[in-house]
Amino acid sequence: MTSRLQSRTLRIDPDRCSGHMSCVRVCPVEAIRAWHGKAEMLSGRCIDCGLCIRVCKSGAITPRQGSMPDLKRFRHTVAIPSPALYAQFGRDVTPAQIIAALKRVGFDEVADMTPACEAVLLSIQRMVQERRSEGPLISPHCPTVVRLIQVRHPSLLPLLAPVETPQEVMAQAIRTHRAKVLGLRRDQIAIFHITPCPAKASDLKYHTHHQASQLDGAVAISQIYGEVKRALASRESDMGNVQNGVSGPCLGWALVGGQGGSIETGNSIAVGGLESVIRTLEDIENGKLHDVDYVECRSCREGCVDGCLTVENLYEARNKLVHLIRRRGSQIDPTSPSVRDLTERSDLILSKPVEPRPSQTLDSDRARAIEKMQRMEDLCARLPGIDCAACGAPTCRAFAEDVVQGRVEEASCPLMLQQRLRKTVADLSAILDQLPRPPGGGEGEGKS
Amino acid sequence: MSFTREFEIVGGDFASAGRVSTEIKAMLRGIGYPPDVIRRTAIASYEAEMNTVMYARRGSVRLGLEPGVIHLVFADEGPGIPDIGLAMQEGFSTATDEMRERGFGAGMGLPNIQRNADRLEITSEVGRGTRLDITVLTDEEAGR
C-alpha cells in the first residue's frame, strides 16, 4: 500500500499504543489512522498541534526531541526562552531568577526576548495601520496555525503578516553582535530556544519562512524543568547581575490576546484553540469579519502558556503572567534603543511569501482528482455514515478517501463487511432453497 | 470526468448556516483547485447559502465540476426577487432588523456573488422562488 511515514515532529511508539483511537478522532486534519490496531501517521499532513499527545491515554505519542545539547561543545551558548517559561516555577519566582537559574544550568548567556517581541509587535502595528486591502491581517506566530493555513486554507496565506518570529529575530541579532564582540566565528555560537511546544521545535528544521533557521536547536520546557528547578533551589539568593528586564508585552506574547493588548489597532480579535481557530479561518474565507483588522490565532486555547511541553498547572501559570503583566504594564516603549535597533533590521520583514502545502489533494492531475471525488461520494452514500472509526479512520468520509486512494480495502469497514456476509448467507440460503432435497435427508421445507 | 453532488439548505436555520459552503470548500480543496479559485467560489457559495437561509423556506444547491468549470446552482422555495436589477445594486437589502442584529443582510449578497463569480444568472418568480446559476472558471491550463 502507500508509504506510511510518521510525522516529522511526533513519534508514535507502536509498543505502547493500545489502539483506543482517541488520537485518530481528535486530529483536526485527519492525519492519523489505526488500520492494524495501532496508530500511524499519514505523511505530510501533521500540523504539529500536539492534540494527540494530550489525549493519548497510554503515552505512546511523544515529540521527536533530541537529548539535552552538550553545551560544552560550543564556544558560546545562548538560551532564548519562550516567555511561557517565566510562567512556570510558581508565583514567587521572578523571570530574573529563572534567567539566573538557566545560566547555572550551563548556558553562557540567556537572552530575554523583550526587544524582539516589541520590535515585531511594532512592525505588526504599522502593517495593520497601513493596510488598505480586504480582509484582516493574521498573526503568523503560532507555527501550527501557519501550517493549518498552508494545508487547509491556502487562500488565506496572503493575509499572514509577513513578520519573522521574535525568537528568530533575537537569535539573528545576538549571533551577529556576539560574533563581533567576542571575536568568534558565527558557527562557534550555539543558540537554543526553550520551547513550550513541539511545533516551535520543528519550526527550526522545517522553517516555514525561510531556508535556514537562526536557532541551532530547541529544548522543551519539560525537558529542562527539573534542572532549572534544582538550580533555583540550590542558590536562590544568588541573582548575579541579571536585570529584571522581561517586559509586559514580552510576557503577553505567551497568552492569547497578549499581542493585541500591546499594539494599537482598530479592531483586533484573539482566538485560542484549534477548533475556534478553524471556525474563524472559515469565516474569514467566507468573506465575513471584514470589520476586523488583526486576528491573533493560537493553536493552544490559552496561548503558548498552554503548550503541551509545559509543566505547571495551566491556570496557575496563566495567572502568574497576568499578574506580572499588570505590574509591568503592557505598553511598548518605541524609543528604547534595543527595540529601535531591531525594528530597523531588514530581516524582521519576510521577503518570501509562505507557500501552500496542499496535502489534502486527491490527485495532482485535476481530472483524476474529480473522478476520485465522485468515487468517494458514491462510496460515502453506501457507507453507514456513523463515523464509528472501527475501520481505523476517524470518519466514514476519511475511510472513503482511504479506499479511493488505495490505502485500504472496502471490506475494512466492519459494517459493510457484515452487510456483505448477511447478503452472501441470504443468497446461499436462497440457492439451497431451490435445490431438490437430497434423498433420505435434509431438513426444513423443500420446494415441490 | 464530471462530478455532481446536491445539498439541502433549511430556511431560517441560522445556527448551521454556512455548513454547506464549508463542505463544498473541503471538496474543492480535495480536487486541488488554486487558492484563488477556492476563495472566490467559497465567498459566492457562502453568500448564496446565506440568502437562502435568510429568505427562503427551503432550498438546495447542486455542485457540478467539469474540466475548467465549477458550477453552483442554488434553487429555493421562497419569496422571489421582484426587481433583480435593484437587488443587484450595492447596498440594497430587504433584511429584517433581526437579521441585521445578527450581523446578516449588510446588502452585499448578490453584487458580492457577481464580483467573485465569472458568470451569474438569476431567474426568479415572485411568490415561488429564486434560482442562481453561478459559474467559476478554474483556469485549467494554469492550474495544472
Side-chain angles (χ1 to χ4, degrees):
Chain A
M1 301 243 141
T2 48
S3 66
R4 288 191 188 136
L5 274 168
Q6 298 238 325
S7 147
R8 59 194 191 180
T9 309
L10 310 176
R11 192 199 314 269
I12 302 176
D13 180 350
D15 295 331
R16 292 180 77 170
C17 174
S18 50
H20 39 36
M21 311 290 290
S22 324
C23 60
V24 174
R25 290 175 193 274
V26 82
C27 177
V29 286
E30 298 184 336
I32 312 178
R33 298 290 188 273
W35 290 313
H36 311 285
K38 302 279 182 193
E40 47 191 320
M41 265 314 159
L42 293 180
S43 70
R45 284 215 175 169
C46 177
I47 55 166
D48 310 328
C49 70
L51 279 176
C52 53
I53 299 183
R54 290 179 203 258
V55 298
C56 178
K57 297 182 183 105
S58 43
I61 310 178
T62 48
R64 284 176 191 277
Q65 57 190 24
S67 45
M68 258 299 281
D70 179 12
L71 299 177
K72 294 190 191 71
R73 266 180 47 220
F74 305 96
R75 291 285 299 277
H76 187 72
T77 56
V78 185
I80 300 183
S82 153
L85 181 75
Y86 307 127
Q88 312 289 304
F89 311 107
R91 181 100 167 217
D92 298 330
V93 180
T94 64
Q97 287 170 319
I98 295 169
I99 289 174
L102 255 183
K103 278 175 134 179
R104 264 175 258 134
V105 165
F107 291 98
D108 295 316
E109 181 182 352
V110 177
D112 134 45
M113 289 209 304
T114 292
C117 286
E118 298 192 352
V120 167
L121 284 169
L122 288 175
S123 301
I124 291 175
Q125 176 173 286
R126 208 184 49 240
M127 285 173 187
V128 172
Q129 287 167 352
E130 288 169 0
R131 190 169 167 78
R132 292 285 169 270
S133 41
E134 239 176 85
L137 270 188
I138 301 174
S139 155
H141 294 116
C142 175
T144 292
V145 171
V146 174
R147 272 161 226 171
L148 178 72
I149 294 176
Q150 286 180 292
V151 168
R152 210 172 176 276
H153 306 276
S155 72
L156 300 180
L157 285 171
L159 299 184
L160 279 177
V163 204
E164 194 41 282
T165 60
Q167 59 268 29
E168 289 289 339
V169 173
M170 200 68 208
Q172 167 79 8
I174 286 193
R175 195 183 301 276
T176 310
H177 182 261
R178 298 302 183 272
K180 207 159 78 186
V181 171
L182 301 173
L184 296 172
R185 289 197 319 270
R186 290 173 70 88
D187 62 357
Q188 287 175 315
I189 302 169
I191 307 178
F192 300 91
H193 186 48
I194 314 289
T195 176
C197 71
K200 287 204 168 68
S202 85
D203 207 33
L204 312 185
K205 268 193 246 163
Y206 310 94
H207 201 30
T208 34
H209 297 159
H210 47 221
Q211 299 309 314
S213 169
Q214 285 297 320
L215 292 150
D216 297 283
V219 177
I221 288 181
S222 55
Q223 209 175 358
I224 204 167
Y225 182 89
E227 281 188 73
V228 175
K229 186 102 181 161
R230 277 193 293 279
L232 280 166
S234 64
R235 293 153 69 187
E236 204 155 357
S237 57
D238 173 20
M239 290 273 297
N241 55 358
V242 173
Q243 300 296 307
N244 214 13
V246 185
S247 76
C250 175
L251 294 165
W253 199 274
L255 296 175
V256 164
Q259 294 188 348
S262 293
I263 54 176
E264 281 165 35
T265 63
N267 183 17
S268 74
I269 58 170
V271 188
L274 260 191
E275 215 184 299
S276 308
V277 168
I278 289 175
R279 220 165 341 150
T280 305
L281 295 178
E282 292 280 358
D283 282 348
I284 300 174
E285 227 167 16
N286 289 338
K288 284 169 96 179
L289 300 185
H290 22 85
D291 296 332
V292 174
D293 54 12
Y294 184 59
V295 182
E296 186 192 325
C297 285
R298 308 292 195 94
S299 154
C300 297
R301 232 177 1 190
E302 301 288 339
C304 300
V305 71
D306 192 4
C308 63
L309 303 179
T310 57
V311 177
E312 298 295 350
N313 173 281
L314 161 64
Y315 296 98
E316 199 189 358
R318 190 184 168 283
N319 251 359
K320 181 179 174 185
L321 285 185
V322 170
H323 174 77
L324 283 169
I325 295 167
R326 203 177 296 146
R327 284 222 319 247
R328 296 178 184 202
S330 52
Q331 289 312 106
I332 298 174
D333 176 12
T335 60
S336 131
S338 53
V339 175
R340 243 199 356 238
D341 277 1
L342 289 178
T343 318
E344 280 155 16
R345 291 185 76 100
S346 58
D347 49 25
L348 195 75
I349 310 297
L350 301 176
S351 48
K352 271 199 306 190
V354 179
E355 299 282 330
R357 232 179 71 191
S359 68
Q360 297 180 335
T361 304
L362 289 172
D363 204 297
S364 54
D365 179 284
R366 194 169 305 148
R368 270 211 297 272
I370 292 178
E371 189 199 310
K372 283 181 177 175
M373 187 63 78
Q374 186 64 60
R375 271 166 55 208
M376 251 176 88
E377 280 308 310
D378 296 345
L379 179 53
C380 275
R382 286 186 287 125
L383 287 171
I386 54 171
D387 298 344
C388 69
C391 63
T395 60
C396 290
R397 210 177 161 78
F399 172 73
E401 189 195 317
D402 289 346
V403 173
V404 168
Q405 294 293 50
R407 297 183 198 119
V408 291
E409 299 301 324
E410 214 177 289
S412 315
C413 167
L415 294 175
M416 289 257 277
L417 182 63
Q418 204 187 84
Q419 255 174 28
R420 254 163 70 179
L421 288 176
R422 276 184 203 288
K423 187 172 176 302
T424 308
V425 170
D427 287 350
L428 287 175
S429 137
I431 292 171
L432 278 176
D433 284 350
Q434 282 168 14
L435 293 176
R437 247 187 305 173
E443 286 177 16
E445 293 167 278
K447 287 208 173 127
S448 50
Chain B
M1 62 299 77
S2 66
F3 171 93
T4 51
R5 161 85 195 264
E6 204 159 319
F7 305 84
E8 298 295 315
I9 302 171
V10 183
D13 182 6
F14 286 93
S16 51
R19 218 167 42 195
V20 169
S21 297
T22 299
E23 232 178 293
I24 288 175
K25 201 158 55 182
M27 290 180 170
L28 301 182
R29 216 157 43 221
I31 307 287
Y33 288 112
D36 175 63
V37 168
I38 296 180
R39 187 187 60 84
R40 291 194 293 123
T41 314
I43 294 178
S45 124
Y46 179 75
E47 290 289 0
E49 183 182 357
M50 289 315 296
N51 280 346
T52 310
V53 171
M54 260 195 284
Y55 299 108
R57 283 184 298 281
R58 71 172 74 88
S60 68
V61 49
R62 198 177 61 87
L63 167 70
L65 305 176
E66 284 161 48
V69 184
I70 298 173
H71 239 108
L72 288 166
V73 181
F74 284 81
D76 70 41
E77 293 172 25
I81 306 172
D83 185 341
I84 293 175
L86 188 62
M88 285 301 293
Q89 284 172 21
E90 295 278 350
F92 176 80
S93 174
T94 58
T96 62
D97 286 346
E98 190 206 345
M99 292 171 185
R100 285 169 211 270
E101 267 166 35
R102 293 179 187 226
F104 300 109
M108 38 193 309
L110 292 179
N112 204 18
I113 296 173
Q114 172 100 320
R115 260 199 308 280
N116 286 286
D118 290 297
R119 210 165 42 237
L120 169 65
E121 280 170 43
I122 308 175
T123 42
S124 186
E125 200 180 322
V126 173
R128 297 289 295 270
T130 303
R131 185 187 144 110
L132 299 186
D133 236 300
I134 302 170
T135 308
V136 176
L137 303 177
T138 64
D139 191 19
E140 218 60 35
E141 296 74 35
R144 273 176 52 180

